[in-house]
Amino acid sequence: LSLEKLVSFATHIHGHLGPFLALGLKAGQLAVDAAGRDPLKSQAVFRMPLKRPYTCFIDGFMVCTGCTPGKLNMDLRDSGDGIEVLYRCGARSVTLRVKTAVLQGLLDRLRGGEDERALAFKVLESKPEDLFDFSASQGF
Ligand SMILES: [Zn+2]
């Protein structure tokens, strides 16, 4: 699916389009590019504060990767003050973390009352390497 279709599907499921949903979509797309997509053979482990808006990320990631709560292949861990996800698909895996400056910038802008859709589109137009630190590997 194109990013455009994924965005509209994710917004339909999630209910609103904000920068954290957008970050999750970009992260999911990166994860799939790096490790492949197989909703029945993949798993995601999230580490982040389990509160909004951080957790909006999870729904974006879900839509891209097909890791869902219903299949029990997503694991949420309340930790730290960043957003990190380990994605495994078969024997391949990728770990990615939202850059601290990106995360802080978005939180500040949301608090400052900036339009969340505009922020989401800024995220969607960004290069993955500007949003995340990541490393991919073969095997565990
Ligand atoms: Zn949200």
Side-chain angles (χ1 to χ4, degrees), residues 14 16 21 52-53 56:
H14 187 70
H16 72 119
L21 184 69
R52 287 160 63 190
C56 294

Side-chain angles (χ1 to χ4, degrees), residues 32-78:
V32 165
D33 286 347
R37 184 181 195 273
D38 185 340
L40 299 177
K41 287 183 182 159
S42 55
Q43 187 202 1
V45 180
F46 300 90
R47 288 187 179 83
M48 69 180 74
L50 293 185
K51 60 182 182 186
R52 287 160 63 190
Y54 297 89
T55 47
C56 294
F57 177 96
I58 295 165
D59 285 352
F61 197 85
M62 174 183 77
V63 165
C64 274
T65 61
C67 290
T68 62
K71 292 194 302 299
L72 302 176
N73 59 349
M74 57 165 50
D75 189 356
L76 313 184
R77 303 198 183 153
D78 193 4

